[in-house]
Amino acid sequence: QVQLVASGGGLVQSGGSLRISCVDSANSNLNFATGWFRQAPGREREFVAAIRWSGANKYYGNSVRGRFTISKDHAKNTVYLQMNSLKPEDTAVYYCNANWVTYYGREEVWGQGTLVTVSS
């Protein structure tokens, strides 16, 4: 069973950078893809980025492409999201997500989220 813990959020100024992390605290050997989503009050959940278990393929939402970079460190059971050129519109709670395929279909687990606040 996968257990995700997100961390690294905080307050940054517009144009600044921040790196947040998502750790599989269960140290599972399960092969899963990881995604980052974000949600602000009054707004719908938005896809940010995703990475395959192998790390060979990466995907980004249109609003962050070119500014954010997703990566992973298998040895540390950690996926990172490097956020550059931050804008006030990036302010949200960022959640990490793990998904994989079983005999019964696709499974999904969510982390608790970490708050990122960007000042103008």
Side-chain angles (χ1 to χ4, degrees):
Q1 186 67 40
V2 178
Q3 292 182 314
L4 302 181
V5 179
S7 63
L11 175 64
V12 297
Q13 64 182 24
S14 181
S17 299
L18 193 67
R19 188 180 74 167
I20 56 177
S21 305
C22 178
V23 179
D24 176 14
S25 63
N27 296 313
S28 173
N29 289 322
L30 186 66
N31 296 350
F32 56 85
T34 302
W36 283 99
F37 295 77
R38 66 186 184 186
Q39 188 168 28
R43 295 163 58 183
E44 296 182 346
R45 186 194 308 163
E46 178 185 16
F47 170 74
V48 176
I51 188 169
R52 292 185 182 273
W53 181 87
S54 67
N57 299 85
K58 303 174 183 180
Y59 311 89
Y60 298 95
N62 291 332
S63 63
V64 306
R65 187 175 293 109
R67 299 188 297 122
F68 292 9
T69 302
I70 189 170
S71 62
K72 71 183 304 180
D73 185 335
H74 280 100
K76 297 180 179 180
N77 301 304
T78 302
V79 172
Y80 302 98
L81 183 67
Q82 177 67 46
M83 302 179 288
N84 298 325
S85 301
L86 283 163
K87 307 173 182 179
E89 294 75 34
D90 295 318
T91 296
V93 176
Y94 285 70
Y95 299 90
C96 58
N97 160 277
N99 63 92
W100 63 99
V101 176
T102 71
Y103 175 83
Y104 303 98
R106 184 167 295 278
E107 301 284 344
E108 186 177 75
V109 171
W110 291 87
Q112 88 288 358
T114 184
L115 177 63
V116 174
T117 303
V118 184
S119 62
S120 60

